[in-house]
Amino acid sequence: MTMVVFAPDSFKGTLGAADAAKALADGWASVRPADELRLVPMADGGEGTLDAFELAVAGARRVPVTVDGPDGRPVTASWLWLPAAAGHGPTAVVELASTSGITLLDPLLPFDAHSVGFGQAIAAALDAGVDRLLLALGGSSSTDGGAGALAALGLQLSDAAGRPIRVGNRGLANLAAIDASALRPLPPGGAVILSDVDNPLLGERGAAAVFGPQKGATPSQVEGLERGLARWASQVAISTLPVRADAPTPGAGAAGGTGFGLLAWGATIAPGAAAVGAALGLPAALAGASVVITGEGRFDHQSLAGKVPSYVLDAAGVASSSLGGRPPIAVALVAGAIEADATVFAASVSLTDLAGDSAAARTDPSRWLREAGARLARTLAG
């Protein structure tokens, strides 16, 4: 009997991580029904992070909140209250994807989308008296450098005439002064950014250049977004914000630069997948496994830079090093589309290839995930 762990991220826009793990496991069981299967649905700070912590932490509860969405329309979301543990009082997990995420927009608004709702949800958690914040970045709709979120927390941003600037990246071009006197402080236990990328704020690997096109920006608009972020960074550098955030810091470019804004507030940054994996007990689950199957909607050049597949691969390597004479844990990848070299995995399956095209794969992802699980059972376990 083989122990198999299923630890995928969500297949964004089609299937959540828990349903993806179940479909993969059902496919495996159809070929090898006697194997021991463990489901550990993952997240990396993006969509599904609240779900993962809610599953992992006893006593967690969702707190509803209504915020201004990325285009100003009201959005009903929630943040997650976690009970006191490990030397901390109550902790709040706040997820940007559910308050200011790209899935909340149609059409996309590369210059005008903002992160105000994310800041409003953080403020609601602070009002509830939490001791610590876990701030899940990922799935952002905006490229405002986190200015909108900090404005919702009391930061005052004005133009040369002393008037408040517009929210979104568009307003950053006119930013002339920052007043942090009314900015809410961090809670006593601090704030930790859970990020799935290591991009800096500016430059060819920065928020505008890498993520702007995903948010609807044309090449010329990317240049404009970059100028807005550069203006924001230069003003932050001479402001009275708690921390002199550094634009090249890995992760500063996360969520359209929201990572940078939160760093200037005083937050620290940590790999989101590792934090979720620790909460879910994935390292302990891997200790007894022979196979682990991970996955995500699209595996590309960013996937091995902090996203769930790279974390699972590394965690399996650590677990394998302590197995003595046992064979190392085989790590397999399933993705909606595989657009980068996946040879670091023992096996890989593209749902697009299985289904024949991406439209078919997206129409019935559960079916093709079950087929992928069955294929891997035949490939990896004979």
Side-chain angles (χ1 to χ4, degrees):
M1 182 177 70
T2 298
M3 178 177 166
V4 186
V5 173
F6 298 86
D9 197 352
S10 64
F11 282 62
K12 293 179 176 60
T14 59
L15 209 63
D19 289 335
K22 184 178 186 305
L24 287 166
D26 288 346
W28 184 284
S30 70
V31 176
R32 294 179 58 88
D35 285 345
E36 180 183 353
L37 310 182
R38 292 197 62 178
L39 278 58
V40 188
M42 282 288 299
D44 55 17
E47 178 185 348
T49 300
L50 255 63
D51 296 335
F53 274 98
E54 186 175 25
L55 176 69
V57 180
R61 59 179 174 85
R62 287 182 180 259
V63 181
V65 61
T66 299
V67 301
D68 294 338
D71 58 359
R73 291 180 295 177
V75 168
T76 299
S78 60
W79 57 274
L80 192 68
W81 185 91
L82 305 180
H88 290 286
T91 293
V93 186
V94 188
E95 183 184 275
L96 184 145
S98 65
T99 56
S100 306
I102 195 168
T103 60
L104 301 173
L105 281 186
D106 185 15
L108 300 177
L109 301 170
F111 278 102
D112 296 306
H114 56 76
S115 59
V116 170
F118 183 49
Q120 290 171 333
I122 294 171
L126 294 175
D127 289 343
V130 299
D131 178 66
R132 183 175 65 140
L133 294 166
L134 299 179
L135 304 175
L137 304 192
S140 168
S141 62
S142 67
T143 311
D144 73 350
L150 293 188
L153 290 165
L155 191 69
Q156 298 177 38
L157 308 171
S158 57
D159 62 17
R163 297 169 301 199
I165 64 169
R166 292 179 59 172
V167 293
N169 184 284
R170 191 181 302 277
L172 296 179
N174 298 317
L175 179 61
I178 296 175
D179 181 354
S181 60
L183 179 65
R184 299 186 66 158
L186 293 175
V192 180
I193 301 163
L194 305 182
S195 174
D196 60 353
V197 299
D198 62 0
N199 301 72
L201 179 67
L202 303 172
E204 63 181 15
R205 292 192 62 250
V210 175
F211 306 116
Q214 300 172 13
K215 300 170 185 180
T218 65
S220 63
Q221 288 175 324
V222 166
E223 295 177 6
L225 293 173
E226 179 81 358
R227 287 193 295 271
L229 291 177
R231 180 71 177 174
W232 169 232
S234 67
Q235 291 297 309
V236 166
I238 59 174
S239 74
T240 58
L241 276 160
V243 174
R244 294 291 185 267
D246 191 358
T249 301
T258 301
F260 174 79
L262 295 175
L263 288 169
W265 188 37
T268 58
I269 195 164
V276 174
L280 292 170
L282 181 65
L286 291 175
S290 298
V291 176
V292 57
I293 299 174
T294 188
E296 61 181 350
R298 182 177 65 184
F299 181 83
D300 58 21
H301 67 281
Q302 298 176 41
S303 295
L304 292 179
K307 293 184 179 289
V308 165
S310 65
Y311 165 70
V312 173
L313 190 68
D314 291 344
V318 171
S320 293
S321 67
S322 62
L323 293 178
R326 286 176 49 195
I329 299 166
V331 184
L333 170 74
V334 178
I338 297 177
E339 300 174 358
D341 184 5
T343 55
V344 291
F345 296 93
S348 61
V349 179
S350 161
L351 302 188
T352 296
D353 291 345
L354 276 183
D357 59 53
S358 60
R362 292 178 65 86
T363 298
D364 193 358
S366 293
R367 172 190 173 187
W368 299 111
L369 283 164
R370 287 191 296 271
E371 178 59 34
R375 176 175 290 195
L376 289 173
R378 291 188 288 267
T379 301
L380 296 175

